[in-house]
Amino acid sequence: MLLEEITMVEFEKGLERTKTIIIPFGSIEEHGSHLPLLTDTIHIYEVAKEASKIIPVYVAPPIYYGICRSTRDHCGTITISGDALRGITKDIVQSLYRHGMRSFILLSGHAGGTHMAAILEAGEWLKETMPQIKIAVVSILDLMASIKSGVIETERDSHAGEVETSLILYLKPRLVRGKGRKEYPTFPNPILVRDRRIFWPGGIWGDPTKATKEKGEKLFNHLVSEVVELVKRIEAWAE
Ligand SMILES: [Zn+2]
């Protein structure tokens, strides 16, 4: 049940089947010179939509904007504050709770540490504030952990590399411009730099030249089954 397609009547009726909703979190962020700015939003929304074909679950329209710390200096990246992300997360969950939703999966296609920390903080606040709520916070990298070694050849592949290029090759091939180049950033940690592009010119973390559509299909199917399992787990969860 996609919120972008159903009516208020269908929303209410659907609550007889499930009170679980997936809220996809994306980003508008550079993904090298070969993938679209919307990459994170595209793959995670497609995963959520596919999961909803397999198991009864609502899917909210994605939150397109996220916190992009490492890529904020690259052209096209739009980053928001932690206050903004925590605020919109709380507001959306509270609104859906008012209409009967009880289990929430906050599913993020963007896995940046600062970004995930803000969603986690909002999740903890919501859990403490609303006694009946069940809430899970998970990123695409978390869900990928158990398959990566079998399918993905690149070590530490995390941004616009083999994984994401494979996913977009499978989901939206017309949006992929070539294969990109292998690259890893060379930030002088722990010093915070003013222009990250100097240390990370191509904006790729991993090796997109190893990407294929077939890997994308395997990764996508794995992600969908992990989300379906998570829906079952959260619905059965009781403490
Ligand atoms: Zn990404």
Side-chain angles (χ1 to χ4, degrees):
M1 287 171 283
L2 309 183
L3 256 54
E4 67 176 38
E5 292 181 352
I6 61 176
T7 66
M8 69 171 184
V9 176
E10 289 159 348
F11 185 106
E12 191 168 22
K13 185 81 182 150
L15 292 169
E16 292 167 13
R17 298 175 72 203
T18 182
K19 294 180 172 59
T20 304
I21 187 160
I22 300 169
I23 304 175
F25 288 73
S27 70
I28 311 284
E29 183 183 36
E30 72 78 14
H31 274 73
S33 55
H34 65 299
L35 294 181
L37 299 173
L38 202 63
T39 291
D40 292 343
T41 315
I42 290 171
H43 53 57
I44 212 64
Y45 194 27
E46 290 300 322
V47 165
K49 285 194 282 189
E50 192 66 23
S52 77
K53 293 179 189 167
I54 298 169
I55 193 165
V57 65
Y58 291 85
V59 178
I63 298 169
Y64 283 83
Y65 299 95
I67 304 174
C68 302
R69 195 173 74 90
S70 305
T71 58
R72 64 184 307 148
D73 302 319
H74 293 77
C75 284
T77 296
I78 301 175
T79 185
I80 61 174
S81 66
D83 284 344
L85 186 55
R86 283 187 293 272
I88 196 169
T89 304
K90 291 175 186 176
D91 288 350
I92 290 171
V93 170
Q94 285 181 313
S95 192
L96 289 164
Y97 181 87
R98 192 174 308 125
H99 299 308
M101 221 60 78
R102 289 297 177 266
S103 297
F104 296 82
I105 296 174
L106 312 185
L107 176 66
S108 188
H110 175 55
T114 325
H115 173 84
M116 291 309 298
I119 301 173
L120 265 172
E121 252 190 280
E124 291 288 350
W125 184 88
L126 287 158
K127 183 199 69 186
E128 296 301 316
T129 314
M130 304 153 85
Q132 290 183 43
I133 203 174
K134 290 192 271 185
I135 194 155
V137 178
V138 69
S139 79
I140 184 172
L141 284 189
D142 303 329
L143 296 177
M144 205 78 85
S146 57
I147 190 177
K148 262 180 142 178
S149 54
V151 179
I152 297 302
E153 301 168 63
T154 316
E155 276 186 42
R156 297 184 296 119
D157 186 275
S158 62
H159 181 77
E162 188 180 355
V163 170
E164 288 194 305
T165 306
S166 296
L167 282 170
I168 302 300
L169 275 173
Y170 174 60
L171 295 168
K172 305 269 180 188
R174 71 175 179 84
L175 297 181
V176 181
R177 281 77 152 170
K179 279 209 157 185
R181 260 185 321 116
K182 182 178 177 179
E183 185 188 20
Y184 290 95
T186 54
F187 298 128
N189 292 329
I191 299 165
L192 304 183
V193 294
R194 296 198 188 280
D195 188 353
R196 289 172 181 81
R197 289 175 300 177
I198 295 165
F199 305 93
W200 197 20
I204 292 168
W205 197 318
D207 187 0
T209 64
K210 297 232 164 30
T212 66
K213 189 177 181 178
E214 290 69 31
K215 286 179 186 171
E217 183 174 10
K218 278 187 192 162
L219 293 169
F220 180 76
N221 290 336
H222 170 80
L223 290 166
V224 171
S225 67
E226 288 283 308
V227 170
V228 169
E229 284 310 307
L230 184 54
V231 171
K232 291 178 189 167
R233 269 181 69 200
I234 200 167
E235 290 185 339
W237 181 256
E239 21 176 347

